[in-house]
Amino acid sequence: EAARLLGVPAIVTEQYRKGLGATVAELASLLPAPLEKRTFSSCGAEGFAAAIPADVGQVVLCGLETHVCVSQTALDLLAGGYAVFVAIDAVSSRHAVDHDVALRRLETAGVVPTTSEAVLFEWCRTAAHPQFKAVQALVR
């Protein structure tokens, strides 16, 4: 919702919908149509690279699973020259050890750990932003 309010482009990918299911309805209703991927990295989804605006140099990742899809996407984006941020409160793995090791590995590789709330207020830059109050209401 904050991305929409602030005009920040969002890209959604899904893998193996038949077995893993689709994005939950509460999120899907707020997001663009998902790109289907056959690789763990979202960078392998058809249309993914084209969906990133040419003037974008930073990417914030969230999703599942931290040690598989999120990690491989982050590493591919780093290799592509992007600054990559992972909202650590918006990624998860089935097992805590996988999640924790993946976050340490990604940070060592150059990914910047952050939180969802930090990202939202960085996008606003200042309380004078026209959408600040609306974003602030989302995090309360």
Side-chain angles (χ1 to χ4, degrees), residues 65-68 71 91-106:
E65 284 192 90
T66 311
H67 65 294
V68 184
S71 289
V91 294
S92 183
S93 295
R94 288 171 293 148
H95 304 289
V97 67
D98 291 321
H99 174 75
D100 296 341
V101 170
L103 290 176
R104 289 198 321 263
R105 177 182 179 215
L106 290 172

Side-chain angles (χ1 to χ4, degrees), residues 10-13 35-37 41-53 59 61 73 76-77 82:
I11 304 168
V12 179
T13 60
L35 303 173
E36 181 145 9
K37 61 185 181 121
S41 173
S42 291
C43 294
E46 187 174 331
F48 183 80
I52 301 174
V59 177
L61 297 177
T73 301
D76 285 349
L77 288 167
Y82 292 94

